[in-house]
Amino acid sequence: MAGRRARAGRGWDASPPRSGDATTPRPRRGRRGRVEEPDPTEGTAPVSPRDEAEVAREICLRQLAVRPRTRAELAGALAKRGISEEVAAQVLDRYDEVGIIDDAAFARAWVSSRHTGRGLARRALANELRQRGVDGDVASEALGELSEETEAETARALVERKLRTARGEPDAVFRRLVGMLARKGYPPGVAIRAVKDALAAQSAEAAEFAEFAEQIDADALAEAESEIERDGRSAD
């Protein structure tokens, strides 16, 4: 009897709980003596609102470490991670107060950077800001800092750069250049004028061909641009 009692004391269930570990689930023997892992959710309390807010702040800071974000972008990231709307609003409101997120500043910086770096026009920039959840009035104010004269100068510079390596028949080159500007958001009139002026400045032969631009129907170009947008083609 004593031997059987001693052997029984060696099993998992016979081990006395350690101090301060009474609530920790112990491994159990399953079928054929295999040890079953304890359920990690056993004995755990639900996440408190304060803990959820801390998780939300960490998510936001990781997002902001990559690049500036709009409030809508951060709200979307929190929702994907299962953060409640109430906690997300509290965290984002606080970030608004201290200036960690600022949609107006984001919009101004985005317009400046994307126009200078990628040559995007106001229409393309407006679409990008809308996709990032920037309010329409805030976006309009930022876009207002980009003048028509600046747009025209940028369009001309883009065409001149492309012309250095352009190959093919003049009419094909002309259409490619106008299409390039259209994908970047330039209105038909601006695109045609930029290409025509750049071609005229390039050579006498190109200047003669530039008259072809007068035959381009602006409405047809606008329709082509709409098709490009519907197809979701990205800017060059």
Side-chain angles (χ1 to χ4, degrees):
M1 293 292 292
R4 286 196 295 273
R5 285 196 298 270
R7 285 193 297 273
R10 297 193 188 106
W12 283 98
D13 294 333
S15 301
R18 292 176 298 202
S19 175
D21 199 31
T23 60
T24 302
R26 295 190 296 272
R28 298 185 297 271
R29 287 192 178 278
R31 295 179 179 177
R32 300 180 182 178
R34 289 180 298 184
V35 175
E36 297 177 348
E37 293 295 329
D39 185 348
T41 62
E42 285 187 24
T44 58
V47 179
S48 67
R50 184 173 182 178
D51 293 335
E52 188 179 7
E54 182 63 29
V55 172
R57 286 191 287 271
E58 291 177 359
I59 294 171
C60 288
L61 291 176
R62 285 197 297 270
Q63 291 282 314
L64 292 168
V66 178
R67 66 165 176 82
R69 308 274 179 176
T70 64
R71 180 182 177 116
E73 287 180 311
L74 292 177
L78 294 177
K80 288 181 180 178
R81 293 291 300 274
I83 303 298
S84 66
E85 292 184 6
E86 180 181 359
V87 171
Q90 292 173 354
V91 171
L92 295 177
D93 285 346
R94 178 57 180 165
Y95 280 7
D96 272 332
E97 292 175 4
V98 299
I100 294 178
I101 53 177
D102 184 340
D103 281 7
F106 175 94
R108 291 192 299 270
W110 187 271
V111 168
S112 176
S113 173
R114 297 287 284 175
H115 179 75
T116 302
R118 299 294 299 277
L120 299 186
R122 282 175 292 183
R123 184 169 57 182
L125 292 167
N127 185 52
E128 290 189 342
L129 291 175
R130 182 170 57 252
Q131 291 175 348
R132 283 154 183 79
V134 177
D135 177 77
D137 292 338
V138 174
S140 295
E141 184 175 349
L143 292 167
E145 298 182 6
L146 180 60
S147 68
E148 293 181 0
E149 291 76 11
T150 300
E151 264 195 338
E153 291 172 2
T154 302
R156 173 72 179 272
L158 288 169
V159 172
E160 290 175 346
R161 186 162 63 245
K162 288 287 185 179
L163 274 175
R164 295 169 190 165
T165 57
R167 298 291 183 272
E169 295 297 322
D171 60 337
V173 171
F174 181 87
R175 291 182 181 278
R176 285 203 303 272
L177 292 174
V178 171
M180 178 269 293
L181 292 179
R183 289 191 296 275
K184 290 181 178 292
Y186 289 90
V190 174
I192 293 171
R193 173 56 60 184
V195 176
K196 180 180 178 180
D197 290 348
L199 286 170
Q202 188 183 49
S203 67
E205 181 182 354
E208 293 178 3
F209 172 73
E211 296 179 1
F212 176 76
E214 301 297 344
Q215 303 172 19
I216 298 296
D217 184 1
D219 292 336
L221 281 176
E223 183 178 349
E225 291 177 272
S226 298
E227 292 178 359
I228 291 172
E229 292 177 359
R230 286 197 295 270
D231 291 340
R233 295 177 61 178
S234 60
D236 286 349

